[in-house]
Amino acid sequence: MKKLILPALAVMMLAGCNEPEIDTTTEETMKSSIQEVRNSLDDADKPRFDKAIEVVALSNISIPELLQAKEKEDDEFIQNKFKETLNGKSGKDVIKLATDIENKKHAEQQEAARNELKALEEKQAHRELATEKLRTFEFKSSRIEYGKEVNGDAPATLIITMINPEKTSISGVHYAIERYIDGKAYPETVKTFYYEFPEAIAAGQKGEVVLSLGNKSAWAKDEHMEPSSFFAWLFRADGVDKKPLYDVSSFNENDKARLMELKQQLAQ
């Protein structure tokens, strides 16, 4: 019985070792050998092979190389890259390699997503801290001054006072102004501005932000030309290096949406 079984096993092992392989020597051998390799696979593996051969063939060429080849109409370069990757591989080799490539790509994408998520969470935390810190700044419209009158008109200037509660100096501020009249806000009037102090405002000191309102005549029909009708608030304060010390605009609605998207992606 052993004399019958051993030769049979040897034949099966040899058959397994002689799986057809892709031969990319010529266009004809490549096409025929790919078909031969496909035909040698089980029906369940054939669709996997069809998908895998595209994954493997494209794995050996970078996006810049592909774009450059297309720009130069260098089809031969692309074909050679495909042949180089597929040559000598069996159907199982192609399927396994494609699986490895996709697993590696997925792992890299997940790692990139985790890094991006971490960066966005840090930005979100900074926004929360900035919101809390900027609320401690005393920042309000205090008075309107008029310059020297010329030809019946004079420049109008809004003066906003600020007290720096921080332990470090503030070189400039980014702020917004909104008209606020008789207890009603007018969001459509919101405008943002930047003001750099002539000298940085030291810790605990008071400074003034100067905003030109144009000429007095432009406000002639405005019945609410008083400081309280110009509501001011900070959204960024810069340190002496002119870099943001606190900045609530560093995390916006797009960042928030992306943060949620990444959390869902990594939870799958």
Side-chain angles (χ1 to χ4, degrees):
M1 179 66 70
K2 288 183 178 179
K3 291 182 179 180
L4 293 174
I5 294 175
L6 290 175
L9 288 173
V11 169
M12 291 175 65
M13 290 175 67
L14 287 171
C17 293
N18 291 324
E19 292 179 355
E21 297 176 344
I22 297 172
D23 178 5
T24 63
T25 305
T26 66
E27 290 292 327
E28 290 183 3
T29 59
M30 183 170 70
K31 289 179 181 179
S32 61
S33 62
I34 287 176
Q35 188 60 50
E36 182 183 355
V37 167
R38 189 180 189 280
N39 291 339
S40 71
L41 297 170
D42 296 335
D43 288 342
D45 282 337
K46 287 176 180 176
R48 295 178 62 199
F49 174 78
D50 294 338
K51 180 182 177 182
I53 201 167
E54 293 181 11
V55 173
V56 173
L58 289 170
S59 68
N60 197 32
I61 183 168
S62 66
I63 297 298
E65 286 178 329
L66 186 61
L67 293 174
Q68 187 176 15
K70 284 188 174 182
E71 184 179 345
K72 294 181 178 180
E73 298 183 353
D74 190 357
D75 293 337
E76 185 178 352
F77 172 80
I78 298 175
Q79 286 293 327
N80 288 338
K81 282 285 187 178
F82 289 172
K83 291 176 181 180
E84 180 183 319
T85 310
L86 295 172
N87 191 49
K89 290 182 173 59
S90 67
K92 291 181 180 178
D93 290 338
V94 172
I95 292 172
K96 182 182 182 305
L97 183 55
T99 301
D100 291 343
I101 290 168
E102 290 184 325
N103 287 342
K104 181 182 178 182
K105 181 180 179 181
H106 177 71
E108 290 173 346
Q109 289 175 337
Q110 291 295 90
E111 181 64 20
R114 283 190 288 271
N115 290 337
E116 186 181 357
L117 177 63
K118 181 181 178 181
L120 285 172
E121 287 177 335
E122 289 174 354
K123 286 175 68 176
Q124 184 182 44
H126 175 80
R127 177 191 171 91
E128 292 170 357
L129 175 64
T131 300
E132 179 182 341
K133 288 290 187 177
L134 290 175
R135 282 175 182 163
T136 65
F137 282 71
E138 184 178 319
F139 192 80
K140 63 179 181 180
S141 302
S142 63
R143 65 187 187 277
I144 294 176
E145 295 181 349
Y146 297 97
K148 184 177 180 181
E149 189 170 304
V150 178
N151 297 325
D153 208 349
T157 303
L158 175 66
I159 306 299
I160 304 167
T161 56
M162 184 195 83
I163 296 178
N164 177 15
E166 290 297 306
K167 294 180 180 180
T168 185
S169 298
I170 301 297
S171 66
V173 290
H174 297 251
Y175 65 100
I177 293 287
E178 179 180 13
R179 293 307 303 276
Y180 194 82
I181 300 170
D182 296 331
K184 181 180 178 181
Y186 291 82
E188 68 276 9
T189 65
V190 174
K191 291 184 179 180
T192 59
F193 304 90
Y194 169 70
Y195 184 78
E196 182 177 347
F197 296 104
E199 292 185 9
I201 307 302
Q205 297 302 303
K206 180 179 179 180
E208 292 187 341
V209 173
V210 179
L211 176 64
S212 171
L213 298 177
N215 288 330
K216 183 178 180 180
S217 60
W219 299 87
K221 296 181 180 179
D222 193 311
E223 298 178 357
H224 304 278
M225 192 60 172
E226 61 266 345
S228 61
S229 69
F230 294 90
F231 180 66
W233 72 92
L234 285 176
F235 61 86
R236 171 177 159 178
D238 293 346
V240 290
D241 57 0
K242 298 186 180 179
K243 293 181 180 179
L245 188 62
Y246 303 116
D247 183 7
V248 299
S249 63
S250 62
F251 185 82
N252 55 37
E253 288 302 313
N254 290 336
D255 291 329
K256 184 178 179 180
R258 180 59 177 162
L259 181 66
M260 296 300 297
E261 181 184 342
L262 288 169
K263 285 184 175 180
Q264 292 174 358
Q265 176 184 328
L266 292 169
Q268 294 176 354

